[in-house]
């Protein structure tokens, strides 16, 4: 879950890999989610599969969290496991990856919303999570500097929003459209959060939906992973 102490200055947007930033285009972004490392790892599975020479290959995408309880760390997550018919174009691969990410991310947020984890985190469907995942996807498939597109604000401006509207975890978002929080110091706008459409660069790709063909075979759409390890005292 994001906290006030994680807020970063928007001037650092293009070099951050953790913390949260407020942007005028996408609202709050979790820069950990927005790194896109998970998508890059998924892409490598496709590249290896296409080079394998086999008729089909398996790919898996997952999202996890760690919970400290009873002196042990519990790792829990959600994953999608699909089988892909070899011979896919770059566009096919990107669309399939987008569908896997959106499916798994939504299920992972639902997992965090369960009463079993509500004692630990308010992160389930926190306002920034799914939007950050989607931005991270596009950032991974088209690397570059995105600060000029998203217009991140200063640390002071971000803190004003946090203190006025409350923690982003208290604003739930079950979709991939961003929630914006007007600057409390702006006298010309209504000071109330509102949902907006995504910028064009995050809508040009449609998630894969042709599951009736033999191109994609779903092994599991709603897998749950668990791991345990002793905590260091």
């Amino acid at each position: 879950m994001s906290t006030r102490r994680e807020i970063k200055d928007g001037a650092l947007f293009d070099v951050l890999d953790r913390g949260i930033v407020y942007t005028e285009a996408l609202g709050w972004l979790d820069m950990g989610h927005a790194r896109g490392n998970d998508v890059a790892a998924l892409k490598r599975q496709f590249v290896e599969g296409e080079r394998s020479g086999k008729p089909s290959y398996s790919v898996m995408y997952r999202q996890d969290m760690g919970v400290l309880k009873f002196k042990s760390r519990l790792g829990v997550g959600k994953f999608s496991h699909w089988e892909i018919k070899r011979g896919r174009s770059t566009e096919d691969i990107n669309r399939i990856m987008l569908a896997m990410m959106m499916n798994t991310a939504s299920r992972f947020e639902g997992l965090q919303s369960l009463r079993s984890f509500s004692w630990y985190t308010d992160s389930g469907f926190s306002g920034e999570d799914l939007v950050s995942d989607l931005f991270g996807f596009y950032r991974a498939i088209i690397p570059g500097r995105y600060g000029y597109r998203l217009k991140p604000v200063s640390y002071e401006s971000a803190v004003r929003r946090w203190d006025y509207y409350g923690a982003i975890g208290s604003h739930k978002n079950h979709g991939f459209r961003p929630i914006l929080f007007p600057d409390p110091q702006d006298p010309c706008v209504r000071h109330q959060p509102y949902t907006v459409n995504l910028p064009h660069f995050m809508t040009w790709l449609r998630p894969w939906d042709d599951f009736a063909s033999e191109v994609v075979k779903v092994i599991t759409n709603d897998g749950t992973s668990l791991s345990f390890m002793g905590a260091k005292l």
Side-chain angles (χ1 to χ4, degrees), residues 158-185:
V159 168
R160 279 200 304 273
R161 288 170 165 87
W162 185 280
D163 291 343
Y164 185 87
Y165 297 103
I168 185 57
S170 65
H171 298 273
K172 301 304 180 183
N173 187 356
H174 291 257
F176 289 86
R177 294 171 61 198
I179 303 173
L180 299 189
F181 298 84
D183 190 339
Q185 286 190 353

Side-chain angles (χ1 to χ4, degrees), residues 117-135:
F117 299 103
S118 61
W119 64 272
Y120 178 77
T121 177
D122 65 357
S123 184
F125 293 107
S126 181
E128 82 282 20
D129 282 343
L130 291 178
V131 176
S132 300
D133 287 332
L134 185 60
F135 171 63

Side-chain angles (χ1 to χ4, degrees), residues 24-89:
E24 294 181 6
L26 295 180
W28 287 105
L29 284 179
D30 181 320
M31 302 309 292
H33 284 242
R35 283 178 297 186
N37 292 349
D38 53 343
V39 178
L42 178 60
K43 181 65 175 287
R44 289 193 289 271
Q45 295 180 53
F46 278 88
V47 172
E48 292 172 4
E50 291 295 328
R51 292 174 176 172
S52 68
K54 299 177 181 179
S56 64
Y57 55 92
S58 293
V59 293
M60 182 180 293
Y61 174 83
R62 62 191 297 166
Q63 290 193 2
D64 303 274
M65 67 175 176
V67 178
L68 187 62
K69 191 173 184 181
F70 303 132
K71 297 184 179 180
S72 294
R73 181 164 292 276
L74 166 66
V76 60
K78 283 290 184 180
F79 66 88
S80 297
H81 180 198
W82 295 359
E83 184 175 316
I84 313 300
K85 184 177 180 181
R86 191 170 64 89
R88 306 278 57 82
S89 65

